[in-house]
Amino acid sequence: MKKQLYLYLFILSALINVFTYMYFSKKSTSDQKRMEHSTKVKNDSISLLTNKLYDANAFSLENNDNAIEYFQQYDVQKLVPMVQEALMSYNDNHSGNKYVDQPMMGTQKFIITKIKLLNHRWIIADYSNGELWGQVLLKYFVEDEKTVTFQTVDTYLFPKQKVE
């Protein structure tokens, strides 16, 4: 009787060891496949985001070799903030930024909030008075290292959204 009990216990422990070995070996393979899939998905996402970023920056002064060559006598890394600051300085005017071509509405003046230099000649900018938003396309000219002039090409004021 004792021999049979030991035989049954031995067979039971052997089966438990076989099942445990099979479980952990398949789990390891499964985890490795899941990790490879996850890595592939992440790499695809990074690649997709990199492509979207490249497309979004297709129209920017920093990525336009012809525009950079046009400004060969200037350091483009210093030129971009200088142009942006020159345009933003007009926001301090009591009637708002004169380059948005929008009159002051009540006590709220229109000021430029975001600026993107597209190339060596064009700027697109967002403007707002806190309630209404619009965009403006500007030409800019760098006269010397400290003087920048602007010319409004076109503006668009978005209609006020109805709140439901």
Side-chain angles (χ1 to χ4, degrees):
M1 179 88 161
K2 222 176 188 186
K3 287 183 179 182
Q4 286 179 343
L5 181 64
Y6 285 130
L7 180 65
Y8 287 132
L9 287 175
F10 176 73
I11 292 171
L12 183 64
S13 66
L15 284 173
I16 289 174
N17 283 334
V18 167
F19 286 127
T20 303
Y21 172 76
M22 293 301 292
Y23 170 77
F24 282 112
S25 65
K26 287 188 179 188
K27 183 178 185 288
S28 173
T29 306
S30 174
D31 287 347
Q32 187 176 14
K33 284 182 182 177
R34 192 174 324 126
M35 183 69 88
E36 287 172 0
H37 177 71
S38 175
T39 302
K40 183 177 184 242
V41 168
K42 288 177 184 174
N43 286 341
D44 289 347
S45 297
I46 290 170
S47 177
L48 180 67
L49 289 174
T50 301
N51 290 340
K52 281 186 177 184
L53 180 63
Y54 178 77
D55 289 343
N57 285 327
F59 292 102
S60 70
L61 178 62
E62 293 88 358
N63 294 330
N64 187 330
D65 291 336
N66 293 328
I68 290 173
E69 188 175 313
Y70 179 83
F71 286 125
Q72 60 186 327
Q73 70 268 23
Y74 303 111
D75 180 11
V76 174
Q77 299 300 324
K78 293 179 182 176
L79 182 73
V80 171
M82 181 189 75
V83 172
Q84 290 175 339
E85 287 173 19
L87 184 57
M88 293 293 261
S89 69
Y90 291 100
N91 286 346
D92 296 335
N93 190 336
H94 71 282
S95 60
N97 196 310
K98 68 181 182 178
Y99 292 109
V100 300
D101 279 350
Q102 296 294 333
M104 204 165 139
M105 293 187 175
T107 60
Q108 297 174 325
K109 63 183 181 177
F110 283 97
I111 60 170
I112 291 180
T113 56
K114 287 190 257 180
I115 301 169
K116 174 128 178 133
L117 277 73
L118 301 177
N119 58 22
H120 64 288
R121 190 59 65 218
W122 303 98
I123 295 175
I124 190 164
D126 282 344
Y127 62 89
S128 173
N129 70 349
E131 289 182 24
L132 298 172
W133 297 87
Q135 293 179 335
V136 59
L137 181 65
L138 299 163
K139 273 181 155 180
Y140 73 99
F141 305 94
V142 178
E143 305 297 332
D144 58 43
E145 287 193 26
K146 295 190 189 286
T147 308
V148 182
T149 59
F150 302 97
Q151 178 184 2
T152 303
V153 176
D154 200 6
T155 63
Y156 183 78
L157 185 62
F158 294 103
K160 191 170 186 173
Q161 300 273 332
K162 293 182 182 177
V163 179
E164 295 179 23

